[in-house]
Amino acid sequence: MSEQETTPRNTPVVRHVEPRHRYEILVEEQRAGLTAYRDRDDRRVFFHTEIDDAYAGQGLASILVKQALTDVRASGMRIVPVCPYVAKFLKKHEEFADITDPVTPEILQWLEARLAR
């Protein structure tokens, strides 16, 4: 038996928590981090990504963001990377360039107003 078959709980799981506008990554059923967004028309505006200190350095942010962006693509939406981590990820992963829109002052104003509620 492979290690993965004997310890499936160690495999990170990403889930979309739509009511809370975020994707979460779980390790052994514990939330290890999240990436938060707000939707504007057909664009998913990512504005914050965090990994809990206890899980730092394990590559979880990359797994989380890749799966979140893959979900955005599957839903037919586009990405706006306000979050610095998501923006950095997209520079290294050009496979998402075709669904990425630039961050504009207008988007930033909209997001600020949305988050102030």
Side-chain angles (χ1 to χ4, degrees):
M1 223 182 243
S2 75
E3 184 176 324
Q4 190 169 21
E5 287 173 280
T6 59
T7 58
R9 290 181 54 207
N10 291 339
T11 303
V13 174
V14 175
R15 68 178 178 196
H16 187 190
V17 186
E18 204 164 345
R20 300 196 71 185
H21 309 284
R22 66 190 190 189
Y23 293 85
E24 297 178 344
I25 189 162
L26 301 128
V27 176
E28 296 183 3
E29 300 177 20
Q30 297 295 313
R31 191 182 86 202
L34 62 91
T35 188
Y37 67 86
R38 291 295 183 274
D39 287 341
R40 182 168 194 218
D41 302 320
D42 68 338
R43 292 176 285 178
R44 185 150 286 167
V45 181
F46 287 90
F47 65 90
H48 178 72
T49 301
E50 67 181 53
I51 297 296
D52 297 343
D53 289 344
Y55 298 95
Q58 298 178 29
L60 296 178
S62 180
I63 294 167
L64 170 62
V65 169
K66 184 172 187 169
Q67 289 192 30
L69 300 184
T70 299
D71 184 66
V72 173
R73 179 186 295 285
S75 71
M77 296 182 76
R78 299 186 60 78
I79 299 159
V80 181
V82 173
C83 168
Y85 183 85
V86 174
K88 183 175 127 185
F89 181 92
L90 287 167
K91 282 184 172 57
K92 293 180 182 176
H93 296 270
E94 294 182 6
E95 67 268 26
F96 295 105
D98 61 317
I99 61 166
T100 301
D101 288 341
V103 177
T104 63
E106 188 260 336
I107 283 285
L108 293 174
Q109 286 179 329
W110 169 84
L111 181 62
E112 188 176 321
R114 179 73 43 173
L115 296 177
R117 291 181 181 178

